[in-house]
């Protein structure tokens, strides 16, 4: 009964990773930034790779748990070996992911903030309604309003793109909100993978 309980936990872990990968890929904030980002920005590539890595990892864990359950019930050495091989694949996939996280710890954050900076400066420089619509959508999704800019007055941009009733203050700086949101999300992802 104990091995079946452990395999249930691995199935639950696999389903949790699949759910988290799906939320990360199709979540409003991530999708919005991905749709706005330019091809030269690395965010789209990271966004898609993270989704496919998460789905592959979750399916490998679920398959390993199912094979281990079947091996326990049928007392099959072949199924045990296949289950062990799947667990090994999952573990080998997590090692490069952990290394990437430590060697590229700020790449995702930087690329998201670069997208926001680009859209914000495009709206500040001209009156493109397309970019203004994108900036308004970002402000509504992240519940923030503008940024502190070293380039001068930004209040005209914020009046045009911030949700009604929001007053720009230091607590609503979008760069800070994006950074805080992503930090919380990444902490949750890596605690789950840990």
């Amino acid at each position: 009964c104990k091995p079946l309980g452990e395999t249930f936990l691995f199935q639950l872990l696999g389903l949790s990773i699949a759910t988290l990968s799906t939320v990360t890929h199709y979540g409003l904030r991530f999708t919005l930034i991905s749709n706005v980002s330019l091809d030269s920005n690395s965010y789209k590539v990271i966004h898609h790779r993270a989704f496919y890595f998460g789905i592959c990892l979750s399916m490998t864990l679920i398959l390993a748990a199912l094979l281990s359950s079947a091996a326990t019930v049928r007392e099959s050495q072949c199924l045990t070996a296949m289950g062990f091989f799947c667990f090994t694949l999952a573990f080998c996939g997590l090692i490069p992911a952990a290394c990437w996280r430590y060697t590229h710890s700020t790449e995702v954050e930087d690329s998201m903030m670069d997208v926001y900076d680009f859209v914000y400066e495009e709206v500040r420089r001209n009156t493109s309604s397309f970019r203004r619509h994108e900036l308004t959508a970002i402000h509504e999704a992240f519940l923030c309003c503008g940024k502190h800019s070293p380039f001068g007055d930004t209040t005209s941009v914020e009046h045009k793109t911030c949700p009604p009733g929001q007053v720009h203050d230091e607590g609503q700086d979008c760069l800070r909100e994006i950074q805080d949101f992503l930090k919380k999300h990444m902490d949750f992802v890596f605690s789950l993978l840990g």
Side-chain angles (χ1 to χ4, degrees):
C1 187
K2 184 179 177 187
L4 291 177
E6 290 174 359
T7 58
F8 174 74
L9 290 176
F10 282 114
Q11 288 175 344
L12 186 60
L13 179 62
L15 288 173
S16 299
I17 292 171
T19 302
L20 184 63
S21 297
T22 303
V23 166
T24 301
H25 189 68
Y26 295 108
L28 173 64
R29 294 173 178 177
F30 293 108
T31 304
L32 185 61
I33 296 293
S34 180
N35 291 341
V36 172
S37 69
L38 298 174
D39 291 335
S40 60
N41 188 302
S42 63
Y43 180 75
K44 269 187 186 174
V45 174
I46 296 169
H47 184 84
H48 290 293
R49 284 184 183 171
F51 172 70
Y52 293 119
F53 174 78
I55 293 299
C56 289
L57 179 63
S58 68
M59 293 302 121
T60 303
L61 285 172
I62 291 170
L63 179 62
L66 291 174
L67 288 171
S68 295
S69 296
T72 302
V73 171
R74 300 185 83 197
E75 298 179 6
S76 168
Q77 290 181 349
C78 181
L79 290 175
T80 302
M82 290 170 56
F84 182 74
F85 178 71
C86 288
F87 282 124
T88 304
L89 282 178
F91 180 74
C92 289
L94 285 174
I95 291 173
C99 290
W100 185 88
R101 189 230 196 263
Y102 289 109
T103 58
H104 297 85
S105 61
T106 61
E107 189 172 341
V108 177
E109 179 183 306
D110 292 345
S111 63
M112 282 182 88
M113 292 196 305
D114 286 347
V115 169
Y116 180 78
D117 278 334
F118 169 74
V119 173
Y120 189 91
E121 293 305 320
E122 282 290 308
V123 171
R124 193 178 70 80
R125 276 186 263 169
N126 61 45
T127 57
S128 167
S129 63
F130 179 69
R131 291 291 181 202
R132 191 174 338 131
H133 175 70
E134 289 174 341
L135 187 60
T136 302
I138 292 171
H139 286 166
E140 289 173 356
F142 284 94
L143 300 175
C144 59
C145 182
K147 69 175 188 172
H148 299 287
S149 177
F151 300 115
D153 186 31
T154 58
T155 56
S156 64
V157 172
E158 291 154 6
H159 287 303
K160 295 175 187 175
T161 61
C162 290
Q166 267 193 339
V167 178
H168 180 71
D169 63 18
E170 204 162 312
Q172 294 177 318
D173 181 20
C174 282
L175 294 176
R176 174 68 54 200
E177 292 297 319
I178 290 169
Q179 189 177 33
D180 291 345
F181 165 75
L182 194 59
K183 183 182 181 328
K184 288 176 190 172
H185 186 79
M186 295 302 280
D187 287 346
F188 183 71
V189 166
F190 286 105
S191 65
L192 183 65
L193 292 178

